Amino acid sequence: MAGLGIDIGTANTVVCHQRRGVVLDEPSVMVVPASGARSRRVRPLLVGNDARDLVGRCPVGLTTMRPLHDGVIVDLEAARGFLVGVMSKVAVPGWQRVRPRAVIEVPAGATALERRALLEVAAEAGIHKPSLIPEPIAGAVGCGLDPLEPRAHMVMDVGGGTSEVTAFCYGGLLAHRSSRIAGDELTLALHRYLRAEHQLLVGELSVEALKCRVDLDEGLSSVVQGVDLATGRPRLVTLESEEVLEALRPTVDAILAALAGALDDLPPQAAEDILTDGVMLFGGSTQLRGFAKLVESAFAFPVRMSARPLTCVAEGAARCLSDRDVVHAYEDSFVDAM
Ligand SMILES: Nc1ncnc2c1ncn2[C@@H]1O[C@H](COP(=O)(O)OP(=O)(O)OP(=O)(O)O)[C@@H](O)[C@H]1O
């Protein structure tokens, strides 16, 4: 029976069916009764897209919850409730009785405890014999790289909660740097800038939408609506491109520091492979306009952008269901084993 590749991210969850392709790509958020948020059994009322619509506008008695923080499970019960909700969304008639197999990605820097927590949650959510794969390896497979060949590759995954830079070769990790500075921090930087420099308070969803419009490179200005901090009335502000760079550059530089660190950790022969082949970018935040160009100019090696930066991890995990060699080679390749 065909199985699933699952990418439970801080910002988005993607499920890829081995034969049908991506069957779910929705925000990692759920709505629960406020009284039930701390109870022993978390039963979400809404999961994914439906829940996202209520972010920042939840009525009294309800609250939104994110099951993951910085790419890892912090609340086992919340994560179990969320995964049960996700599995019921992707279930097709007949599946209720058949427990699907799955390969689930987990950050390469996740601890043994965090990995065990994810396996427990997956089994409780009805997944049969779940196996784990480091997220960068799943992403690499989804981008068409071969993590078993005797040549070094480097990938950079900038998601919502974490940025990870990983080099690997012949079934093992060569270098890994991870930072908790990623897309959420970029959103926060814009939010703080608008508040401090324009005295404008902007909602969470609106700042995120603004981040997806701005450009670090082109001289484009963007208009944003918010609430004036002094008068409490709605106001429009035009954000000039220099301001976008001023607001985002320190956060982008902190993300790039992980790439510089991983390059420093490489043995010389592997570094040569990377300088020739460059780095593959994926993860939603690498879609920030002008980001790839900044990486290229900072490091002067080729930068390739995944064709599907948001779904390649789940697609790679699904592909690994039929290529167990990759799963076996990397199942113990986590940073705590390096
Ligand atoms: N066009 C865009 N421009 C800038 N940022 C974007 C764009 N599209 C999505 N993002 C950002 O990408 C992030 C989500 O990316 P992704 O789905 O890869 O993260 P994730 O896998 O859930 O997180 P993590 O890997 O940290 O657990 C969010 O912060 C979102 O704002």
Side-chain angles (χ1 to χ4, degrees):
M1 198 197 85
L4 303 170
I6 303 180
D7 170 10
I8 314 173
T10 314
N12 296 303
T13 292
V14 183
V15 180
C16 181
H17 185 274
Q18 232 178 332
R19 281 199 303 267
R20 292 189 287 140
V22 174
V23 287
L24 181 131
D25 179 4
E26 300 192 13
S28 304
V29 62
M30 58 187 171
V31 171
V32 297
S35 56
R38 303 213 172 278
S39 71
R40 284 188 52 220
R41 228 42 185 171
V42 172
R43 292 198 171 81
L45 302 172
L46 300 170
V47 166
N49 286 334
D50 308 327
R52 184 194 159 99
D53 293 341
L54 282 181
V55 171
R57 33 174 102 97
C58 242
V60 176
L62 299 180
T63 185
T64 52
M65 277 180 97
R66 290 189 175 274
L68 264 73
H69 286 276
D70 299 329
V72 292
I73 293 173
V74 282
D75 179 340
L76 274 182
E77 187 42 40
R80 190 204 57 81
F82 178 75
L83 199 53
V84 167
V86 165
M87 294 307 290
S88 67
K89 275 192 155 192
V90 300
V92 288
W95 265 37
Q96 282 81 352
R97 275 168 280 119
V98 186
R99 285 155 52 99
R101 291 179 306 130
V103 172
I104 307 172
E105 64 70 31
V106 65
T111 63
L113 201 67
E114 289 162 346
R115 298 193 310 261
R116 202 161 56 234
L118 183 56
L119 285 173
E120 269 172 32
V121 161
E124 278 193 46
I127 292 168
H128 178 59
K129 289 193 185 160
S131 32
L132 301 182
I133 186 164
E135 184 171 8
I137 303 303
V141 172
C143 292
L145 301 177
D146 178 2
L148 297 180
E149 69 173 342
R151 183 168 182 84
H153 295 286
M154 183 174 263
V155 296
M156 181 177 200
D157 173 10
V158 190
T162 50
S163 299
E164 290 198 293
V165 182
T166 313
F168 50 87
C169 174
Y170 198 55
L173 302 186
L174 291 171
H176 176 81
R177 291 284 178 121
S178 165
S179 154
R180 303 216 154 165
I181 299 175
D184 293 346
E185 290 291 326
L186 289 166
T187 309
L188 200 62
L190 270 182
H191 187 269
R192 287 198 184 123
Y193 185 89
L194 287 163
R195 196 185 167 114
E197 302 297 322
H198 293 277
Q199 289 71 51
L200 195 75
L201 196 57
V202 184
E204 199 181 316
L205 295 181
S206 306
V207 190
E208 183 152 338
L210 173 70
K211 182 184 70 176
C212 297
R213 290 199 306 272
V214 298
D215 196 320
L216 294 170
D217 187 40
E218 294 286 322
L220 291 175
S221 56
S222 284
V223 177
V224 58
Q225 181 176 338
V227 174
D228 188 297
L229 278 171
T231 64
R233 300 232 173 105
R235 180 159 63 91
L236 289 177
V237 158
T238 303
L239 206 61
E240 301 300 337
S241 64
E242 303 78 47
E243 292 186 282
V244 170
L245 203 57
E246 188 187 332
L248 296 183
R249 189 68 206 232
T251 314
V252 169
D253 285 346
I255 294 171
L256 295 188
L259 181 50
L263 283 168
D264 286 346
D265 294 344
L266 281 179
Q269 198 61 52
E272 262 182 49
D273 291 345
I274 308 302
L275 291 175
T276 310
D277 297 350
V279 63
M280 174 69 82
L281 303 184
F282 55 82
S285 297
T286 60
Q287 296 183 106
L288 179 68
R289 290 184 196 163
F291 181 79
K293 206 167 166 184
L294 260 178
V295 179
E296 212 159 40
S297 57
F299 293 94
F301 54 54
V303 172
R304 289 178 290 160
M305 182 78 197
S306 163
R308 294 173 305 281
L310 286 162
T311 56
C312 61
V313 171
E315 289 172 74
R319 217 170 285 168
C320 288
L321 280 158
S322 47
D323 190 356
R324 302 298 294 188
D325 288 351
V326 176
V327 177
H328 292 316
Y330 283 94
E331 65 192 346
D332 294 320
S333 288
F334 288 91
V335 175
D336 54 6
M338 274 175 85

